[in-house]
Amino acid sequence: MIYELDELDHGIIKCLAEDGRISFTDLSKTLNVTEKTIRLRYKNLIDKDILGVHGIVNPIAVGLKAGAIIQIKVKPKSIAAVIEELKQIKPIRYITVTSGEYPLLVQITVKNQEKITEVIYAINEIAAVTDLNTIIQLDVHKNTFEYIR
């Protein structure tokens, strides 16, 4: 069953997206409800896997200055197996199934061009991979984790 978010849930999520360290007291003042209400709603959002609280790393600040999007073609009936192998390649941070000519797309963020090459070689080692299209990211202008506005 899909949980229907109400205005208060949206408000909590929006405030946390702007400042993940905001206190329940400040949230309650901002949203004009009691702190107990915030605590209960927050717990509900966590329990229903709607909200997860994680530290987000600025990749550039930790030396990860190169990125690429890699489109992947695979042998028929092998998407699930390839996904499992891609999950084992540590620099891959995002994997999605897509429509079109390339059924898989991955995104990587690494230190330099040499690391991009290493990942490409690692993906090419997967037996069911038949073709790659690599798109090097030259500059990133927006990278957000805000899904609710």
Side-chain angles (χ1 to χ4, degrees):
M1 181 176 142
I2 296 175
Y3 179 77
E4 293 291 329
L5 298 175
D6 65 12
E7 189 175 328
L8 180 57
D9 293 324
H10 282 279
I12 292 168
I13 293 168
K14 184 175 187 226
C15 287
L16 287 169
E18 292 170 6
D19 177 5
R21 295 177 50 156
I22 189 170
S23 70
F24 288 160
T25 302
D26 289 342
L27 268 173
S28 69
K29 289 175 186 173
T30 300
L31 299 171
N32 298 314
V33 295
T34 67
E35 187 176 336
K36 182 178 180 181
T37 299
I38 294 295
R39 288 183 187 283
L40 291 171
R41 289 298 189 96
Y42 176 86
K43 183 181 181 330
N44 189 47
L45 291 169
I46 296 288
D47 290 347
K48 295 197 178 301
D49 284 330
I50 294 167
L51 180 66
V53 180
H54 308 276
I56 298 174
V57 174
N58 175 351
I60 294 170
V62 295
L64 303 176
K65 298 179 180 181
I69 297 166
I70 305 168
Q71 296 172 307
I72 304 168
K73 284 185 186 177
V74 298
K75 292 179 182 173
K77 300 181 182 178
S78 62
I79 290 175
V82 171
I83 288 170
E84 290 308 310
E85 290 190 62
L86 291 170
K87 288 179 181 178
Q88 304 309 309
I89 301 173
K90 192 168 176 107
I92 294 177
R93 60 176 290 273
Y94 181 79
I95 303 170
T96 188
V97 177
T98 64
S99 63
E101 193 175 343
Y102 293 87
L104 294 174
L105 181 144
V106 300
Q107 185 174 18
I108 63 173
T109 304
V110 293
K111 287 184 177 185
N112 52 40
Q113 292 292 130
E114 290 78 21
K115 293 291 183 186
I116 292 173
T117 303
E118 287 176 20
V119 173
I120 290 169
Y121 286 151
I123 294 171
N124 268 320
E125 290 295 318
I126 300 172
V129 169
T130 61
D131 190 26
L132 300 177
N133 181 45
T134 304
I135 303 161
I136 304 296
Q137 293 173 241
L138 301 175
D139 200 3
V140 177
H141 293 275
K142 183 175 182 180
N143 186 16
T144 182
F145 293 92
E146 291 182 39
Y147 296 100
I148 296 179
R149 303 223 183 261

